[in-house]
Amino acid sequence: MTHNGQPSRTALMSAAARAAHLLVDATPSIFTDTLARTFLGEHAEELLGYHRSYGGHPILSGARTMAVTRSRYTEDRLAELADRGVDQYVILGAGLDSFAYRSELAEGVRVFEVDEPATQNWKRALMVETGTAVPPTTFFVPFDFEKESTRSLTDHLVRAGFDLDRPALVGWLGVTMYLSSEAIEQTLAVISGFAPGTELIVEHLLPAGLRDEAGRSYAEPVMAAAAEQGEPWRTFLDIERMEALLLEHRLQPIEYVRQRETIDPAEWERTDALRPFELPILARARVSVR
């Protein structure tokens, strides 16, 4: 959802968390997004000001932890797959993701950014304004997961140049909690039709009873704020339920990665406020041979 032609608040908050990580957290950084601040546009000073002033607050440090760990894990995996010849990357709910415009890896990978049209239009206008070039290997795929038939997602991707006969990495981060269970299942069905060897990394949030204290303390106020802004959290999945959904749609589970497992244990020995908590899970699965 958008507000008065602006991108979704969640897209802005995620970009602000990635940008603020480089401003308020200790080095070495977990993840380096050199364009996140640029992609905040006119919102940069307001949103980054909160992190500068209150960076140790559990909500803000939690937002940074979520944003940088999931991005780090996904882009590390993309690098591994690219070394094996995978040259397509689909970002579902791309928001203000900047991978295609800052990473050397993007030079050899075709990137398909899938998101609702208004957020994409705002992002593209901002890129023109800031002189951020769109590489010839980057393609925008306007799509609304709740309003359009998810089955048409394949058609949208193919029209943009996606090759159904070649494997890809599909990144689906920070999205499933906002969708209905039906939209999630329909999207998994679409991904299962991609070429064998395609991998999916999908983030899902644990139900309340499976979160630790830090996860509960983060989730409850953030969930309430998201609802007030018209973007309520709708779906929570435990690992057993996610595994059942993946298998139902011919996606072979590979691993379920908790936040603390996204980086080397030594990297959690930090002097800043970033700490892992039990709330998000990154499920990694592979499209089985048909």
Side-chain angles (χ1 to χ4, degrees):
M1 296 180 64
T2 58
H3 305 273
N4 300 320
Q6 297 293 305
S8 74
R9 191 68 176 175
T10 55
L12 286 168
M13 297 299 285
S14 293
R18 296 193 302 273
H21 178 53
L22 301 180
L23 298 176
V24 304
D25 293 322
T27 55
S29 299
I30 293 174
F31 182 74
T32 302
D33 187 338
T34 55
L35 281 178
R37 179 171 181 163
T38 298
F39 282 7
L40 290 173
E42 63 187 16
H43 304 281
E45 291 307 311
E46 173 198 359
L47 295 178
L48 295 180
Y50 296 139
H51 286 272
R52 286 195 184 98
S53 298
Y54 310 105
H57 190 283
I59 300 301
L60 294 175
S61 62
R64 298 196 303 278
T65 303
M66 285 190 71
V68 300
T69 53
R70 67 191 181 197
S71 295
R72 163 76 174 274
Y73 175 83
T74 302
E75 292 191 18
D76 281 354
R77 184 57 188 160
L78 178 60
E80 294 173 4
L81 290 173
D83 284 342
R84 302 178 189 177
V86 173
D87 61 358
Q88 298 189 112
Y89 180 31
V90 178
I91 310 175
L92 299 180
L96 302 179
D97 189 278
S98 67
F99 168 80
Y101 320 100
R102 60 170 163 75
S103 174
E104 292 182 4
L105 180 60
E107 296 175 7
V109 176
R110 291 189 298 157
V111 181
F112 298 87
E113 295 195 5
V114 181
D115 209 346
E116 56 89 25
T119 293
Q120 281 198 345
N121 291 339
W122 188 90
K123 179 179 182 178
R124 298 181 73 173
L126 179 65
M127 291 174 65
V128 171
E129 180 183 328
T130 59
T132 305
V134 179
T137 53
T138 299
F139 307 92
F140 294 96
V141 184
F143 187 79
D144 190 312
F145 287 90
E146 291 288 358
K147 294 181 180 179
E148 297 187 63
S149 169
T150 309
R151 294 180 180 85
S152 69
L153 175 57
T154 300
D155 296 332
H156 285 272
L157 283 166
V158 170
R159 282 197 295 270
F162 183 72
D163 188 344
L164 285 172
D165 294 323
R166 294 180 63 83
L169 175 66
V170 180
W172 198 11
L173 310 178
V175 178
T176 61
M177 67 286 289
Y178 298 103
L179 300 179
S180 65
S181 57
E182 291 80 9
I184 293 171
E185 291 197 48
Q186 290 170 9
T187 303
L188 292 176
V190 168
I191 295 168
S192 72
F194 293 175
T198 291
E199 286 196 9
L200 166 68
I201 297 174
V202 53
E203 181 183 38
H204 61 98
L205 299 188
L206 293 171
L210 297 179
R211 304 166 192 164
D212 62 9
E213 182 178 353
R216 290 190 295 272
S217 296
Y218 175 82
E220 291 171 4
V222 173
M223 183 166 53
E228 289 179 3
Q229 294 161 6
E231 297 175 301
W233 289 3
R234 303 174 64 182
T235 300
F236 306 96
L237 300 167
D238 59 26
I239 289 175
E240 291 74 19
R241 177 56 180 156
M242 175 55 78
E243 178 147 331
L245 289 174
L246 293 171
L247 291 172
E248 180 182 340
H249 295 92
R250 296 190 298 108
L251 293 161
Q252 183 61 46
I254 301 171
E255 63 178 349
Y256 299 93
V257 181
R258 286 177 158 79
Q259 203 171 66
R260 68 176 61 256
E261 299 164 341
T262 55
I263 59 177
D264 189 275
E267 293 186 70
W268 286 120
E269 297 176 7
R270 307 185 61 82
T271 59
D272 53 36
L274 302 191
R275 301 290 184 274
F277 52 91
E278 288 286 296
L279 175 63
I281 300 290
L282 295 174
R284 182 162 69 95
R286 182 179 294 119
V287 175
S288 303
V289 177
R290 297 188 184 95

